[in-house]
Amino acid sequence: AQSVTQPDIHITVSEGASLELRCNYSYGATPYLFWYVQSPGQGLQLLLKYFSGDTLVQGIKGFEAEFKRSQSSFNLRKPSVHWSDAAEYFCAVGAPGTASKLTFGTGTRLQVTL
Amino acid sequence: DAGVIQSPRHEVTEMGQEVTLRCKPISGHDYLFWYRQTMMRGLELLIYFNNNVPIDDSGMPEDRFSAKMPNASFSTLKIQPSEPRDSAVYFCASSLRGAGSSYEQYFGPGTRLTVT
């Protein structure tokens, strides 16, 4: 069975600082990987996804993520955080070829201080 | 495009009452998903449909929960009878499969259900 672990429940960073949110997955092969963001009172929005190829993927809002097979990780990064990035971030894994059923991590809440 | 539409946005009901949540997926999407989000359990997939047919309902917590998709543009999630532990935010999402699919799930704004 596929699973996702986001070890950090809550992270606080200063505006302008760099950010890295951790995600580790468990799957028998290379899965499809996703990062979603949820602003308060809103649904989830896709930031980026990885299917194959280049292990560094670029997403919206200046985010990027790197797939590391050896570490079963798909960490999300941003070089300079803006106050508007404060939200909850979810990593998700899906079976390759279909991704019909996604398994989400428990989320990391990001707080940005000015 | 209007995106995924859910109604109502907020629902407060008393224990034992029937609750119906509604979802209109993005036009042309062939997959529809129902999720439940709580502080304790996070985001859980309840059930999903492909071309209006339920594919996997293993996440439905118990027989009090039922979901239907009578056509490609409408789905309901019903709880009967409701209990306080059903209080959560319920999300509907839709996606498009097929050649060139991005596999992205588009989420609605959610329905916040409170059962007293």
Side-chain angles (χ1 to χ4, degrees):
Chain A
Q2 58 200 37
S3 66
V4 177
T5 301
Q6 293 181 249
D8 304 307
I9 296 174
H10 186 215
I11 284 182
T12 300
V13 299
S14 300
E15 189 175 41
S18 63
L19 171 71
E20 182 168 27
L21 302 182
R22 296 183 290 166
C23 172
N24 292 95
Y25 68 89
S26 175
Y27 191 76
T30 299
Y32 284 4
L33 295 160
F34 306 80
W35 274 99
Y36 281 82
V37 61
Q38 183 181 27
S39 298
Q42 303 297 315
L44 279 69
Q45 180 186 19
L46 182 68
L47 284 175
L48 48 77
K49 56 186 181 286
Y50 172 79
F51 293 163
S52 64
D54 192 346
T55 56
L56 185 63
V57 293
Q58 303 296 322
I60 62 172
K61 305 184 181 185
F63 285 92
E64 65 179 27
E66 185 172 12
F67 168 63
K68 292 186 177 180
R69 184 191 312 273
S70 61
Q71 299 177 18
S72 297
S73 68
F74 188 56
N75 294 349
L76 182 71
R77 301 195 294 248
K78 187 169 184 177
S80 178
V81 171
H82 188 263
W83 63 267
S84 61
D85 293 325
E88 188 142 20
Y89 293 80
F90 293 90
C91 182
V93 60
T98 65
S100 299
K101 186 174 180 177
L102 296 184
T103 299
F104 285 83
T106 51
T108 297
R109 181 167 297 279
L110 173 65
Q111 183 177 356
V112 180
T113 58
L114 301 178
Chain B
D1 197 321
V4 176
I5 299 173
Q6 291 187 247
S7 64
R9 291 294 310 275
H10 301 274
E11 177 80 42
V12 180
T13 190
E14 293 184 348
M15 182 174 61
Q17 297 298 306
E18 177 179 295
V19 175
T20 299
L21 311 182
R22 297 172 175 80
C23 175
K24 176 178 170 58
I26 293 173
S27 177
H29 282 192
D30 55 352
Y31 277 78
L32 184 139
F33 306 83
W34 281 102
Y35 291 90
R36 178 173 67 176
Q37 185 178 41
T38 62
M39 290 291 293
M40 293 298 296
R41 301 175 67 89
L43 194 63
E44 304 173 276
L45 176 65
L46 300 177
I47 185 171
Y48 74 94
F49 296 82
N50 176 218
N51 292 323
N52 313 335
V53 176
I55 302 300
D56 185 346
D57 66 354
S58 59
M60 296 285 263
E62 48 196 276
D63 292 345
R64 298 185 296 106
F65 285 69
S66 62
K68 294 182 179 180
M69 193 166 185
N71 57 63
S73 59
F74 184 66
S75 178
T76 60
L77 178 67
K78 185 176 295 186
I79 308 173
Q80 167 63 20
S82 59
E83 296 182 2
R85 59 193 170 119
D86 301 330
S87 297
V89 180
Y90 290 82
F91 288 103
C92 176
S94 70
S95 68
L96 176 65
R97 294 293 185 263
S101 170
S102 69
Y103 299 98
E104 176 177 358
Q105 292 187 19
Y106 293 81
F107 281 75
T111 295
R112 182 173 295 277
L113 173 65
T114 302
V115 183
T116 61

